[in-house]
Amino acid sequence: MPGPILHQGAVVQCAHGGRAVPASTYPRVLVNNLPVCVQQVQHLVAGCPLPPPPAANGPCVTAAWTTGSLRVLAGGVMPLVLLDSRATAAPSGTPLVAVSAQQRVVAV
């Protein structure tokens, strides 16, 4: 499905409300003058309130993207992260939620 591309300033959270930011971005492709996120790069999660074991299996620390763009590739090889892309947070195994992103550039 086509969707807006996530960039460095996009708001992404773990399922528990912790803020997720990309570990790095792809600086050669910009949207709204900010570098885009690529599927191969994990997001780092901060502020996850999920308690550690034995009460739960949190807090969320990192998240890996499992889906990305199919037809638009950064550098010709790296899928971009879209607003509807899926990611799984570790160690909790819960999804990331992209709350907002730029709306001008859409990829498939």
Side-chain angles (χ1 to χ4, degrees):
M1 297 286 296
I5 298 169
L6 291 189
H7 61 301
Q8 187 175 18
V11 177
V12 181
Q13 298 178 334
C14 72
H16 315 102
R19 176 75 193 250
V21 296
S24 67
T25 53
Y26 191 79
R28 295 185 69 191
V29 178
L30 305 175
V31 293
N32 286 359
N33 274 342
L34 294 168
V36 296
C37 299
V38 292
Q39 183 180 345
Q40 290 87 336
V41 176
Q42 292 187 345
H43 268 54
L44 306 174
V45 182
C48 177
L50 190 65
N57 61 344
C60 300
V61 178
T62 63
W65 295 97
T66 56
T67 62
S69 63
L70 299 175
R71 297 180 69 187
V72 179
L73 306 173
V77 294
M78 292 179 280
L80 301 176
V81 178
L82 306 178
L83 191 63
D84 64 350
S85 293
R86 299 185 190 279
T88 303
S92 67
T94 57
L96 284 189
V97 179
V99 178
S100 70
Q102 58 78 35
Q103 296 294 312
R104 298 185 110 191
V105 183
V106 175
V108 177

